[in-house]
């Protein structure tokens, strides 16, 4: 794992050391803003072999996923899908999901009390295929553990599906189009 906080010289030194002695690179945190995180990624990826697998720790926001992949990060991990699920939030794709609402909404909202739709009409996960927003709203309001599991399952599937779409777009030379359709 590369380290060095927000200090460019330490990040570069750490990147070069890791590149010399390890077969893969992971980037640690210690960033205060998204902008500083993107700078840290650039400092690192500019100083490692681009053919080595590169992993980013603690990334799970939709906009960050696009940004880190564009900067050369191959894989990432984060607790966001389950943390959001346990607190009643679920990811939604465009056009309902957007940069302003961070591609998520809260199942606890009264509007979902009698909503017969799946969490995300563009999703094919187990939760969306088998349960309505109204039922999950009821479970969540009743503090039934199943609601946390269903929301977490949906959120994990959502992010995996998004990365599959990104992979396909990269292969087809349409990454910029996909990124713009999600983040514009």
């Amino acid at each position: 794992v590369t380290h060095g906080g927000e200090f460019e010289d330490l990040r570069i030194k750490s990147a070069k050391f890791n590149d010399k002695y390890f077969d893969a690179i992971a980037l640690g945190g210690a960033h205060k803003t998204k902008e500083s995180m993107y700078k840290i990624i650039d400092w690192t990826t500019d100083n490692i072999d681009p053919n080595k697998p590169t992993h980013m720790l603690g990334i799970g926001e939709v906009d960050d996923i696009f940004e880190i992949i564009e900067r050369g990060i191959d894989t990432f991990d984060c607790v966001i899908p389950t943390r959001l699920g346990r607190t009643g939030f679920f990811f939604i794709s465009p056009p309902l999901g957007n940069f302003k609402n961070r591609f998520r909404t809260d199942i606890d909202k009264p509007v979902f009390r009698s909503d017969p739709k799946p969490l995300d009409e563009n999703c094919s996960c187990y939760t969306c295929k088998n349960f309505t927003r109204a039922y999950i709203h009821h479970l969540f309001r009743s503090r039934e553990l199943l609601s946390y599991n269903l929301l977490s399952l949906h959120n994990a599937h959502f992010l995996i599906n998004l990365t599959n779409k990104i992979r396909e777009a990269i292969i087809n030379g349409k990454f910029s189009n996909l990124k713009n359709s999600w983040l514009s």
Side-chain angles (χ1 to χ4, degrees):
V1 177
T2 60
H3 291 285
E6 292 193 32
F7 301 99
E8 183 177 5
D9 60 331
L10 296 177
R11 283 288 179 168
I12 291 171
K13 185 176 181 179
S14 181
K16 288 179 178 180
F17 176 87
N18 280 287
D19 189 51
K20 182 176 180 179
Y21 293 105
F22 298 100
D23 295 331
I25 308 294
L27 282 76
H31 52 270
K32 294 178 183 170
T33 65
K34 288 179 183 277
E35 292 74 26
S36 69
M37 177 179 66
Y38 301 149
K39 278 196 256 183
I40 289 168
I41 293 170
D42 293 338
W43 297 334
T44 304
T45 56
D46 288 349
N47 289 284
I48 60 171
D49 180 348
N51 296 313
K52 286 188 178 180
T54 309
H55 181 82
M56 185 83 186
L57 303 164
I59 296 299
E61 297 284 348
V62 170
D63 58 322
D64 291 336
I65 292 169
F66 279 102
E67 293 295 335
I68 69 168
I69 290 173
E70 188 171 44
R71 287 173 164 77
I73 302 299
D74 301 307
T75 59
F76 60 91
D77 68 87
C78 194
V79 300
I80 283 180
T82 54
R83 179 178 290 151
L84 289 177
R86 290 189 312 270
T87 58
F89 287 88
F90 63 95
F91 284 115
I92 48 175
S93 57
L96 296 176
N98 54 58
F99 192 78
K100 186 176 178 182
N101 64 20
R102 300 171 67 193
F103 300 93
R104 65 178 82 153
T105 192
D106 185 354
I107 196 66
D108 199 28
K109 290 181 179 179
V111 68
F112 295 131
R113 181 176 297 133
S114 57
D115 191 334
K117 292 181 264 186
L119 294 176
D120 185 332
E121 294 184 84
N122 299 313
C123 184
S124 62
C125 76
Y126 175 81
T127 302
C128 289
K129 284 183 175 180
N130 294 289
F131 301 93
T132 65
R133 291 174 177 172
Y135 183 62
I136 299 170
H137 171 84
H138 159 73
L139 291 173
F140 188 79
R141 297 289 300 221
S142 302
R143 295 195 169 127
E144 288 288 341
L145 296 178
L146 179 59
S147 67
Y148 314 138
N149 292 338
L150 293 173
L151 292 167
S152 295
L153 179 68
H154 165 76
N155 289 342
H157 178 91
F158 182 94
L159 292 182
I160 291 168
N161 191 48
L162 175 59
T163 57
N164 286 335
K165 288 178 183 176
I166 291 171
R167 179 184 302 115
E168 186 177 313
I170 290 169
I171 290 168
N172 294 322
K174 297 182 184 241
F175 175 81
S176 294
N177 293 346
L178 182 65
K179 180 182 174 188
N180 288 337
S181 72
W182 276 71
L183 302 184
S184 295

